[in-house]
Amino acid sequence: MIEIDAFLSFNIAVSLLLGGKLITRWSRTLQRYSIPEAVTGGVLCAAAVAVIYGLTGRQVHFTLGARDFLLLMFFASIGLNSDLRSLLAGGRPLAVLLGLATVFMLMQNLLGVGLAELFGLPAAAGLMAGSISLTGGAGTTMAWAPVFTGLYGVSNAAEIGLAASTAGLIAACVIGGPMATWLIRRHRLSGPAGEPLEVGAPPAAREPLDYFAVLWALLVINLAVLGGMALHGLIDSAGLTLPRFVTCLIAGIVIRNVTPAWARLRLAQLWPGMQQGMALISDIALGLFLVMALMGLQLWELSGVLRFILVAIALQVALTVAWTLFVVFRAMGADYEAAVTCAGFGGITLGSTATAIANITAVAQQYGAAHQAFIIVPLVCGFFIDLVNAAVIAAFLAVLA
């Protein structure tokens, strides 16, 4: 095994993100379909690591300790930009999106079970190529794998789940931007004029992005992360499970909305570029996180169940695209916010929260702000969907038993 230490791994991630941005700047195709720059660099690294393994038999292991903290910084900054009145107004879209994702998980598992039986595998194995690995991700896969191996006789449950999760993550990175772009152009939609973006400093900023603006932004983001970690500790001690990035999102929302209006106004007067500094920091944090997540993929794990996985993922992706374009878009209002939300739906059902956010970020940076999407998509991805998925999996296992 080739071990790469934390410092070198971090700098490789920075180089990959820069490379992805340069490649995207030169490629009209990547720009046209809003493929995130981090995905371009990260996938190239994952492919190179797979080639090294294929030629030498040696695995490349990156030390990615900074990865999870970068995600916490990103979601803390999203919360700090969230006005409570706008969040409460988004209650109905949140419920609708969760309902759409729930129905999709049922279809996802029915498709997985049917394919497993077609390939001569145990029916329960199909769930490992369904909502367990695709909606749940690698963490949910590894949590359920021993159950499937011990109780349902699926000896390679972990391999099937990890392979499906890996392939789904890559697919989700690729389809999100193109789906939103197609909807925006077909229906002639546009983002709100003049609205500030949640991430990414605009190239022609009117307010100065100076030293104090960035420093204040960094301090506030870190305070929100500290608050989120403290909240996570309290919830964990109560015996409940909630991802850290969700508690950081909540902490950011609380700080943003309990801070007196006069204090926020005074800061804006002293350092008007602070919001831009926060957007820039969150953009860099998300980009580096996604690059690191893709760097850690081990593509050769797909080889053992390659044919089943390829067919399953191809059909799951086709189902996702059809459901997103023809059901989700209309149910979410058939407007610009709905189109941006559709960019993240593939991350909900095929990838991860980071993938969903990276997709809607790429679309928002090209077409305009989408404040509602940046709230409801991570809440569905990071909290509600895991609870519903557990109930869906249990229901399917009860039927298959």
Side-chain angles (χ1 to χ4, degrees), residues 110-127 308 400:
L110 288 172
L111 177 58
V113 170
L115 284 174
E117 293 181 340
L118 183 64
F119 278 82
L121 299 172
L127 297 179
F308 169 68
L400 294 175

Side-chain angles (χ1 to χ4, degrees), residues 52-63:
I52 292 172
Y53 178 78
L55 294 176
T56 67
R58 302 180 67 184
Q59 298 183 19
V60 178
H61 179 262
F62 296 101
T63 305

Side-chain angles (χ1 to χ4, degrees), residues 187-397:
H187 298 280
R188 298 180 181 179
L189 305 173
S190 60
E195 288 285 334
L197 296 175
E198 283 79 3
V199 294
R206 287 173 293 183
E207 295 84 3
L209 185 61
D210 58 14
Y211 177 89
F212 287 102
V214 174
L215 200 59
W216 269 109
L218 184 61
L219 175 62
V220 174
I221 290 173
N222 285 336
L223 288 175
V225 170
L226 286 172
M229 295 177 73
L231 177 60
H232 181 271
L234 291 174
I235 292 174
D236 188 60
S237 64
L240 302 175
T241 301
L242 196 64
R244 279 189 174 86
F245 70 82
V246 175
T247 58
C248 288
L249 174 68
I250 294 171
I253 293 173
V254 171
I255 291 174
R256 165 68 172 78
N257 290 278
V258 302
T259 303
W262 63 266
R264 296 199 305 268
L265 179 61
R266 183 58 177 162
L267 283 173
Q269 289 174 341
L270 290 172
W271 295 287
M274 189 175 75
Q275 186 174 8
Q276 294 178 44
M278 191 176 300
L280 181 61
I281 292 170
S282 64
D283 193 16
I284 294 172
L286 177 64
L288 288 175
F289 171 84
L290 188 55
V291 167
M292 288 181 172
L294 293 171
M295 287 167 61
L297 293 180
Q298 297 178 337
L299 298 179
W300 56 88
E301 291 183 351
L302 297 173
S303 60
V305 285
L306 184 60
R307 189 172 61 170
F308 169 68
I309 293 300
L310 287 177
V311 174
I313 293 301
L315 293 178
Q316 294 283 16
V317 169
L319 183 63
T320 297
V321 172
W323 183 256
T324 302
L325 295 181
F326 300 111
V327 178
V328 175
F329 178 65
R330 294 191 177 101
M332 294 304 297
D335 56 7
Y336 175 73
E337 283 277 4
V340 179
T341 301
C342 285
F345 194 78
I348 296 174
T349 58
L350 292 176
S352 66
T353 303
T355 306
I357 298 301
N359 285 342
I360 65 176
T361 296
V363 175
Q365 287 178 335
Q366 184 169 354
Y367 295 102
H371 303 299
Q372 177 181 279
F374 273 91
I375 294 299
I376 64 174
V377 169
L379 284 175
V380 169
C381 274
F383 177 48
F384 295 107
I385 202 67
D386 288 331
L387 300 178
V388 176
N389 195 17
V392 169
I393 295 166
F396 268 86
L397 289 177

